[in-house]
Structure formats: structure tokens, C-alpha cells
């Protein structure tokens, strides 16, 4: 009996220490929530981990799978957002169709893309997409498993911050 109690104590301490080793979901080491970070600055980039966590929690609350960050989708989202920023307009077609931009880059059968502009934080972009029926349908597509998300800041633009979210199966 003592041996079991001792092992349980060691396990409890290990769990407590493990909890000290990382920051809470969606928070930076400074304690600032990543989803409230202002992205209207040249060096600001969306926190992909905070985004993944936010979208995953939303999906889990709708009985769907969590998402993982895919480097190829991160790159595709970055290219799309930079193309929109250079053109100073939103369009799914600026860098070619979504499928043409993804073909040869990674294996997938289904892909969706949400774009937007004018939102200064991840929380704002998420809320805008959630409140838009077509964008929300993309975020809650049960086939989606992987994601990439990017932002671009253009100070002279009326929008300031451009967004691209790409998800695939």
C-alpha cells in the first residue's frame, strides 16, 4: 500500500512540474494572449499556434477534429497574403486558384480558404469568419485536418492587415 501511495505522490509531482514547463494555451511567455496581439506593425506576425488552438477549440466544441499546423500550408498562406498585400486588394485568385496554388505542394483531396482584411487581431479575424456563414462553414468543415495562417501589414492600405487561412484534409 505504501509503495502505491509513494508512486502516486511521484506521479502527482511530475504532473505539477510538467504544468510549469509551458505557457497556457494561446498565451505568450509575457502573458499576453496571442489572439489579442495587435498585428498592425511591420514586424508583427500572427501566432500560428494560438490560431491553431483557437480554431481547434471551436471545432472540438462542434464535435470535430483538432487541426495541426502544416508547413506547406503556412507557406501557401504567406504567399497568398503577400500577393493580396502587394495588390492592395482581397482576392482568392490573385496568386492563382487555391487548387492551383496547392497542387504539387502537398497531398490533399479537399481544401478551403478564408481571406479577409482590416482585422487587427486574431480574435477579430476569427470572430469575423465565425459570423460569416460561408467562412464559418469552411472553419467547421469536418474533412479539414491541417491548416496554415498568415498576415501581412500594409500601412498605406485602407485595410492595414491582410489575412489568409488555408485548411486541407
Amino acid at each position: 500500500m505504501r509503495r502505491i501511495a509513494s508512486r502516486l505522490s511521484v506521479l502527482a509531482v511530475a504532473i505539477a512540474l510538467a504544468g510549469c514547463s509551458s505557457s497556457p494555451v494561446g498565451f505568450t511567455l509575457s502573458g499576453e494572449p496571442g489572439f489579442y496581439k495587435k498585428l498592425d506593425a511591420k514586424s508583427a506576425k500572427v501566432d500560428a499556434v494560438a490560431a491553431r488552438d483557437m480554431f481547434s477549440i471551436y471545432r472540438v466544441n462542434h464535435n470535430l477534429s483538432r487541426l495541426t499546423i502544416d508547413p506547406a500550408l503556412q507557406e501557401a498562406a504567406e504567399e497568398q497574403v503577400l500577393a493580396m498585400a502587394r495588390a492592395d486588394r482581397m482576392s482568392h485568385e490573385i496568386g492563382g486558384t487555391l487548387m492551383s496554388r496547392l497542387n504539387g505542394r502537398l497531398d490533399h483531396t479537399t481544401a478551403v480558404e478564408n481571406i479577409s482584411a482590416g482585422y487587427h487581431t486574431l480574435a477579430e479575424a476569427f470572430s469575423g469568419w465565425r459570423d460569416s456563414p460561408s467562412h464559418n462553414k469552411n472553419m467547421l468543415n469536418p474533412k479539414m485536418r491541417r491548416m496554415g495562417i498568415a498576415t501581412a501589414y500594409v500601412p498605406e492600405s485602407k485595410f492595414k492587415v491582410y489575412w489568409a487561412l488555408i485548411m486541407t484534409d
Side-chain angles (χ1 to χ4, degrees):
M1 191 65 155
R2 260 191 185 154
R3 204 177 303 176
I4 293 172
S6 176
R7 287 182 181 170
L8 287 175
S9 295
V10 170
L11 180 61
V13 170
I15 291 170
L17 289 175
C20 295
S21 67
S22 63
S23 59
V25 172
F27 284 80
T28 62
L29 291 178
S30 68
E32 175 190 60
F35 41 86
Y36 289 133
K37 180 182 173 189
K38 291 281 200 176
L39 299 171
D40 55 352
K42 279 283 187 196
S43 62
K45 294 291 179 197
V46 64
D47 181 341
V49 172
R52 180 211 53 212
D53 293 345
M54 180 180 281
F55 292 117
S56 290
I57 289 168
Y58 183 59
R59 288 172 57 83
V60 167
N61 286 339
H62 287 85
N63 299 314
L64 299 170
S65 66
R66 294 182 175 275
L67 298 169
T68 60
I69 298 169
D70 185 288
L73 292 176
Q74 279 294 117
E75 186 178 309
E78 184 75 22
E79 289 170 5
Q80 179 63 12
V81 83
L82 291 174
M84 291 189 305
R86 281 190 298 274
D88 197 17
R89 68 183 177 91
M90 289 188 307
S91 171
H92 291 282
E93 307 286 318
I94 285 179
T97 66
L98 176 59
M99 289 308 186
S100 72
R101 288 184 273 129
L102 294 182
N103 285 341
R105 193 180 287 237
L106 70 157
D107 290 333
H108 68 284
T109 56
T110 306
V112 296
E113 177 179 60
N114 285 356
I115 60 171
S116 62
Y119 298 118
H120 290 217
T121 67
L122 173 58
E124 291 172 0
F126 172 81
S127 293
W129 288 332
R130 183 195 60 215
D131 294 342
S132 163
S134 61
H135 291 102
N136 192 51
K137 182 179 176 183
N138 285 345
M139 293 192 312
L140 295 177
N141 184 319
K143 295 179 181 178
M144 300 302 106
R145 300 283 184 267
R146 301 173 288 169
M147 67 168 278
I149 189 167
T151 56
Y153 174 61
V154 183
E156 59 278 358
S157 167
K158 69 179 178 179
F159 298 115
K160 306 289 186 228
V161 183
Y162 286 87
W163 292 82
L165 167 67
I166 301 174
M167 295 183 290
T168 64
D169 54 357

